[in-house]
Amino acid sequence: GENVEQHPSTLSVQEGDSAVIKCTYSDSASNYFPWYKQELGKGPQLIIDIRSNVGEKKDQRIAVTLNKTAKHFSLHITETQPEDSAVYFCAASRNNAGNMLTFGGGTRLMVKP
Amino acid sequence: NAGVTQTPKFQVLKTGQSMTLQCAQDMNHNSMYWYRQDPGMGLRLIYYSASEGTTDKGEVPNGYNVSRLNKREFSLRLESAAPSQTSVYFCASKAGTSTGELFFGEGSRLTVL
Protein backbone atom coordinates (compact mmCIF):
# COMPACT_ATOMS: atom_id res chain seq x y z
CA GLY A 1 0.00 0.00 0.00
CA GLU A 2 0.85 3.68 -0.08
CA ASN A 3 3.30 5.16 2.44
CA VAL A 4 3.57 8.93 2.95
CA GLU A 5 6.47 10.48 4.86
CA GLN A 6 6.25 14.12 6.01
CA HIS A 7 9.01 16.46 7.24
CA PRO A 8 9.63 18.29 9.45
CA SER A 9 7.41 17.21 12.32
CA THR A 10 7.65 20.69 13.87
CA LEU A 11 8.50 24.02 12.27
CA SER A 12 8.87 27.40 13.95
CA VAL A 13 9.11 30.60 11.87
CA GLN A 14 8.92 34.33 12.44
CA GLU A 15 5.84 36.15 11.24
CA GLY A 16 6.40 37.25 7.65
CA ASP A 17 8.88 34.46 6.84
CA SER A 18 8.13 31.56 4.52
CA ALA A 19 7.45 27.98 5.59
CA VAL A 20 8.03 24.83 3.55
CA ILE A 21 6.74 21.34 4.39
CA LYS A 22 7.84 18.34 2.35
CA CYS A 23 6.27 14.93 1.70
CA THR A 24 7.35 11.83 -0.17
CA TYR A 25 5.10 8.99 -1.31
CA SER A 26 5.77 5.43 -2.37
CA ASP A 27 2.98 4.42 -4.79
CA SER A 28 3.78 5.61 -8.32
CA ALA A 29 0.07 5.17 -9.21
CA SER A 30 -0.99 7.92 -6.75
CA ASN A 31 -2.35 10.90 -8.63
CA TYR A 32 -4.11 13.12 -6.08
CA PHE A 33 -2.25 15.07 -3.38
CA PRO A 34 -4.24 17.24 -0.94
CA TRP A 35 -3.05 19.28 2.03
CA TYR A 36 -5.14 19.67 5.17
CA LYS A 37 -4.85 22.19 8.01
CA GLN A 38 -5.97 21.22 11.51
CA GLU A 39 -6.53 23.89 14.13
CA LEU A 40 -6.61 23.01 17.82
CA GLY A 41 -9.70 21.04 18.78
CA LYS A 42 -11.06 20.89 15.22
CA GLY A 43 -11.14 18.45 12.36
CA PRO A 44 -8.74 18.83 9.41
CA GLN A 45 -9.79 21.17 6.60
CA LEU A 46 -8.63 21.09 2.98
CA ILE A 47 -6.48 24.08 2.04
CA ILE A 48 -5.14 23.11 -1.38
CA ASP A 49 -4.79 20.04 -3.58
CA ILE A 50 -2.91 19.09 -6.72
CA ARG A 51 -3.36 16.37 -9.31
CA SER A 52 -0.60 14.55 -11.12
CA ASN A 53 -1.11 16.31 -14.43
CA VAL A 54 -0.05 19.62 -12.82
CA GLY A 55 3.40 20.58 -11.47
CA GLU A 56 2.43 23.58 -9.35
CA LYS A 57 -0.70 25.23 -8.00
CA LYS A 58 -1.09 28.52 -6.12
CA ASP A 59 -3.84 30.03 -4.01
CA GLN A 60 -2.92 33.44 -2.56
CA ARG A 61 -0.15 32.83 0.00
CA ILE A 62 -0.04 29.06 -0.34
CA ALA A 63 1.38 26.95 -3.15
CA VAL A 64 1.99 23.27 -3.73
CA THR A 65 4.60 21.73 -6.03
CA LEU A 66 4.71 18.15 -7.28
CA ASN A 67 7.65 16.16 -8.67
CA LYS A 68 6.22 12.87 -9.95
CA THR A 69 9.59 11.49 -11.00
CA ALA A 70 11.02 11.89 -7.51
CA LYS A 71 7.66 11.13 -5.86
CA HIS A 72 7.63 14.15 -3.63
CA PHE A 73 5.44 17.20 -3.15
CA SER A 74 5.74 20.30 -1.00
CA LEU A 75 3.59 22.98 0.62
CA HIS A 76 4.89 26.55 0.57
CA ILE A 77 3.36 29.29 2.74
CA THR A 78 4.65 32.82 2.14
CA GLU A 79 4.31 35.87 4.42
CA THR A 80 3.28 33.69 7.34
CA GLN A 81 0.82 35.07 9.90
CA PRO A 82 0.03 33.92 13.46
CA GLU A 83 -3.26 32.43 12.22
CA ASP A 84 -1.24 30.04 10.04
CA SER A 85 -0.18 28.26 13.26
CA ALA A 86 -1.72 24.78 13.07
CA VAL A 87 -0.92 21.17 12.21
CA TYR A 88 -0.62 20.50 8.48
CA PHE A 89 -1.09 17.08 6.87
CA CYS A 90 -0.18 15.96 3.38
CA ALA A 91 -1.92 13.00 1.80
CA ALA A 92 -1.88 10.89 -1.35
CA SER A 93 -4.30 8.60 -3.15
CA ARG A 94 -5.16 6.88 -6.38
CA ASN A 95 -8.33 7.70 -8.26
CA ASN A 96 -10.04 4.50 -7.21
CA ALA A 97 -13.44 3.71 -5.76
CA GLY A 98 -13.60 4.96 -2.20
CA ASN A 99 -10.51 7.06 -2.79
CA MET A 100 -8.59 5.97 0.28
CA LEU A 101 -6.32 8.81 1.34
CA THR A 102 -3.04 7.95 3.05
CA PHE A 103 -1.88 10.77 5.33
CA GLY A 104 1.57 11.85 6.40
CA GLY A 105 2.41 12.15 10.10
CA GLY A 106 1.74 15.89 10.27
CA THR A 107 3.78 19.08 10.79
CA ARG A 108 3.12 21.43 13.67
CA LEU A 109 3.75 24.95 12.37
CA MET A 110 4.27 27.74 14.89
CA VAL A 111 4.40 31.33 13.64
CA LYS A 112 5.94 33.66 16.19
CA PRO A 113 4.70 37.26 16.18
CA ASN B 1 -25.10 24.49 8.38
CA ALA B 2 -23.93 21.56 10.53
CA GLY B 3 -21.77 19.61 8.01
CA VAL B 4 -20.45 16.46 9.74
CA THR B 5 -21.62 15.88 13.31
CA GLN B 6 -20.03 13.32 15.64
CA THR B 7 -21.22 12.13 19.05
CA PRO B 8 -20.03 11.82 21.72
CA LYS B 9 -17.17 14.33 21.81
CA PHE B 10 -15.53 12.65 24.81
CA GLN B 11 -15.82 9.16 26.25
CA VAL B 12 -13.95 7.15 28.87
CA LEU B 13 -14.31 3.36 28.79
CA LYS B 14 -12.93 0.48 30.78
CA THR B 15 -11.15 -2.35 28.98
CA GLY B 16 -13.70 -4.77 27.58
CA GLN B 17 -16.61 -2.33 27.43
CA SER B 18 -18.36 -1.62 24.16
CA MET B 19 -19.53 1.63 22.61
CA THR B 20 -20.69 3.16 19.35
CA LEU B 21 -19.53 6.44 17.84
CA GLN B 22 -22.21 8.12 15.79
CA CYS B 23 -21.67 10.25 12.69
CA ALA B 24 -24.16 12.11 10.53
CA GLN B 25 -23.68 14.43 7.55
CA ASP B 26 -26.23 16.80 6.04
CA MET B 27 -24.47 17.47 2.71
CA ASN B 28 -26.00 14.56 0.77
CA HIS B 29 -22.53 13.05 0.33
CA ASN B 30 -22.08 9.55 -1.04
CA SER B 31 -18.87 8.48 0.73
CA MET B 32 -18.18 8.39 4.46
CA TYR B 33 -15.05 7.49 6.42
CA TRP B 34 -13.78 6.78 9.92
CA TYR B 35 -10.19 7.75 10.79
CA ARG B 36 -8.21 7.56 14.00
CA GLN B 37 -5.55 10.12 14.87
CA ASP B 38 -2.59 9.27 17.08
CA PRO B 39 0.40 11.53 17.84
CA GLY B 40 3.01 11.48 15.07
CA MET B 41 1.03 9.00 12.97
CA GLY B 42 -1.30 11.28 11.08
CA LEU B 43 -4.76 9.98 10.32
CA ARG B 44 -5.23 6.30 9.62
CA LEU B 45 -8.31 4.96 7.86
CA ILE B 46 -10.33 2.42 9.86
CA TYR B 47 -13.32 1.76 7.59
CA TYR B 48 -15.07 3.55 4.79
CA SER B 49 -18.33 3.44 2.88
CA ALA B 50 -18.00 4.46 -0.76
CA SER B 51 -21.77 4.59 -1.16
CA GLU B 52 -24.92 3.73 0.77
CA GLY B 53 -25.11 -0.02 1.31
CA THR B 54 -21.37 -0.71 1.06
CA THR B 55 -18.57 -0.77 3.62
CA ASP B 56 -14.89 -1.68 3.27
CA LYS B 57 -11.87 -2.09 5.51
CA GLY B 58 -9.20 0.55 5.62
CA GLU B 59 -5.68 0.42 6.98
CA VAL B 60 -6.47 -0.43 10.65
CA PRO B 61 -9.87 -2.22 10.88
CA ASN B 62 -9.12 -4.77 13.62
CA GLY B 63 -11.29 -4.34 16.72
CA TYR B 64 -13.90 -2.19 14.95
CA ASN B 65 -17.16 -2.65 13.08
CA VAL B 66 -19.19 -0.14 11.09
CA SER B 67 -22.73 0.33 9.89
CA ARG B 68 -23.88 2.61 7.07
CA LEU B 69 -27.37 3.07 8.44
CA ASN B 70 -28.55 5.26 5.56
CA LYS B 71 -27.01 7.89 3.29
CA ARG B 72 -26.61 10.35 6.18
CA GLU B 73 -25.31 8.14 8.99
CA PHE B 74 -22.20 6.01 9.47
CA SER B 75 -21.48 4.52 12.90
CA LEU B 76 -18.31 2.97 14.34
CA ARG B 77 -18.56 0.28 17.02
CA LEU B 78 -15.94 -0.98 19.43
CA GLU B 79 -17.17 -4.37 20.68
CA SER B 80 -14.53 -4.92 23.37
CA ALA B 81 -12.44 -1.81 23.92
CA ALA B 82 -8.68 -2.09 24.49
CA PRO B 83 -6.17 0.55 25.72
CA SER B 84 -4.62 0.53 22.21
CA GLN B 85 -7.88 2.04 20.95
CA THR B 86 -7.32 5.20 22.99
CA SER B 87 -7.30 7.83 20.26
CA VAL B 88 -9.13 10.71 18.64
CA TYR B 89 -11.64 9.48 16.08
CA PHE B 90 -12.74 11.52 13.09
CA CYS B 91 -15.64 10.92 10.78
CA ALA B 92 -15.47 12.43 7.29
CA SER B 93 -17.59 12.57 4.19
CA LYS B 94 -17.06 13.26 0.49
CA ALA B 95 -19.48 14.12 -2.27
CA GLY B 96 -18.36 11.60 -4.89
CA THR B 97 -16.68 8.23 -4.90
CA SER B 98 -13.40 9.32 -6.55
CA THR B 99 -10.87 11.98 -5.53
CA GLY B 100 -12.11 15.15 -3.89
CA GLU B 101 -12.40 17.13 -0.67
CA LEU B 102 -13.01 15.33 2.61
CA PHE B 103 -15.18 17.16 5.13
CA PHE B 104 -14.31 16.21 8.71
CA GLY B 105 -16.25 16.30 11.94
CA GLU B 106 -14.71 17.83 15.05
CA GLY B 107 -13.57 14.52 16.48
CA SER B 108 -14.37 12.20 19.36
CA ARG B 109 -11.73 11.70 22.03
CA LEU B 110 -11.85 8.17 23.43
CA THR B 111 -9.86 6.96 26.43
CA VAL B 112 -9.77 3.27 27.32
CA LEU B 113 -8.50 2.51 30.82
Side-chain angles (χ1 to χ4, degrees), chain A residues 28-46:
Chain A
S28 56
S30 288
N31 58 7
Y32 176 65
F33 307 93
W35 286 86
Y36 284 80
K37 176 183 181 182
Q38 185 179 27
E39 296 177 345
L40 196 61
K42 305 240 170 145
Q45 197 165 14
L46 180 72

Side-chain angles (χ1 to χ4, degrees), chain B residues 75-109:
Chain B
S75 63
L76 178 71
R77 182 158 179 85
L78 287 70
E79 291 291 352
S80 179
S84 60
Q85 294 178 303
T86 293
S87 188
V88 181
Y89 292 85
F90 287 95
C91 177
S93 70
K94 180 158 57 70
T97 56
S98 62
T99 55
E101 181 175 3
L102 281 177
F103 291 83
F104 284 87
E106 295 207 329
S108 299
R109 182 175 293 275

Side-chain angles (χ1 to χ4, degrees), chain A residues 65-95:
Chain A
T65 58
L66 171 65
N67 183 327
K68 280 211 72 181
T69 303
K71 290 192 280 190
H72 67 69
F73 56 113
S74 301
L75 178 71
H76 303 253
I77 306 174
T78 58
E79 300 171 24
T80 53
Q81 300 167 3
E83 52 264 39
D84 294 329
S85 296
V87 179
Y88 292 80
F89 292 98
C90 63
S93 79
R94 300 181 176 195
N95 187 19

Side-chain angles (χ1 to χ4, degrees), chain B residues 64-76:
Chain B
Y64 305 94
N65 285 302
V66 290
S67 295
R68 183 75 182 265
L69 304 169
N70 48 54
K71 192 171 186 179
R72 290 187 62 247
E73 298 172 287
F74 188 40
S75 63
L76 178 71

